[in-house]
Amino acid sequence: VPVDGSHWLSMRELLDMLQQKGHEVVVVAPEVTMHIKPTKTIAIKMYPVPFTQEEMESVPKGLIEDVFEEGSFLERVMRLYQRAKKNSALFLATCSHLIRNKELIRYLEESKF
């Protein structure tokens, strides 16, 4: 159950090595991601989330914009705080939709994931 973005890019290397050693690799990921995609060697079980691809892609773009936008120190801190709140809500929704997905949880339990 990886985290998207740069974390996934590192994780993918590890998963490729595990697969090369004969392990069956199954990744559980939200349907909306930046980088997590099925490959020939990695199976992905996806689950729905309540946000769009555009909203997901706005996370790193918005952070970069907020960091470089001008303003007083307090204004910049407040923008970053608001951005962190928004991003945290998105990640919380991802986790909530995973654990509330009865069909996926049943699959994970039955397959001894």
Side-chain angles (χ1 to χ4, degrees):
V1 184
V3 176
D4 208 340
S6 61
H7 297 284
W8 168 250
L9 300 176
S10 300
M11 176 67 76
R12 192 175 61 202
E13 295 289 323
L14 175 67
L15 298 177
D16 287 339
M17 286 191 274
L18 285 170
Q19 192 278 330
Q20 289 171 10
K21 300 260 184 200
H23 295 276
E24 178 184 1
V25 177
V26 178
V27 172
V28 176
E31 287 178 339
V32 176
T33 70
M34 289 185 288
H35 300 293
I36 304 172
K37 306 290 183 239
T39 68
K40 293 178 184 177
T41 58
I42 299 172
I44 297 192
K45 282 295 218 185
M46 297 194 133
Y47 59 94
V49 288
F51 49 85
T52 65
Q53 188 70 38
E54 184 177 90
E55 289 170 302
M56 170 59 82
E57 291 171 1
S58 75
V59 169
K61 289 177 187 174
L63 180 59
I64 291 168
E65 290 170 4
D66 287 346
V67 166
F68 292 105
E69 189 174 323
E70 293 191 19
S72 71
F73 176 75
L74 183 58
E75 289 171 329
R76 294 171 66 202
V77 168
M78 289 305 296
R79 271 196 312 270
L80 290 173
Y81 171 73
Q82 292 301 323
R83 175 70 53 190
K85 275 180 50 175
K86 184 177 178 180
N87 293 350
S88 294
L90 188 120
F91 296 134
L92 177 60
T94 301
C95 293
S96 297
H97 278 71
L98 168 61
I99 62 174
R100 292 185 181 145
N101 187 316
K102 293 182 187 325
E103 182 181 325
L104 179 57
I105 296 299
R106 186 172 32 260
Y107 163 81
L108 297 174
E109 289 171 346
E110 290 173 359
S111 65
K112 308 253 188 274
F113 189 81

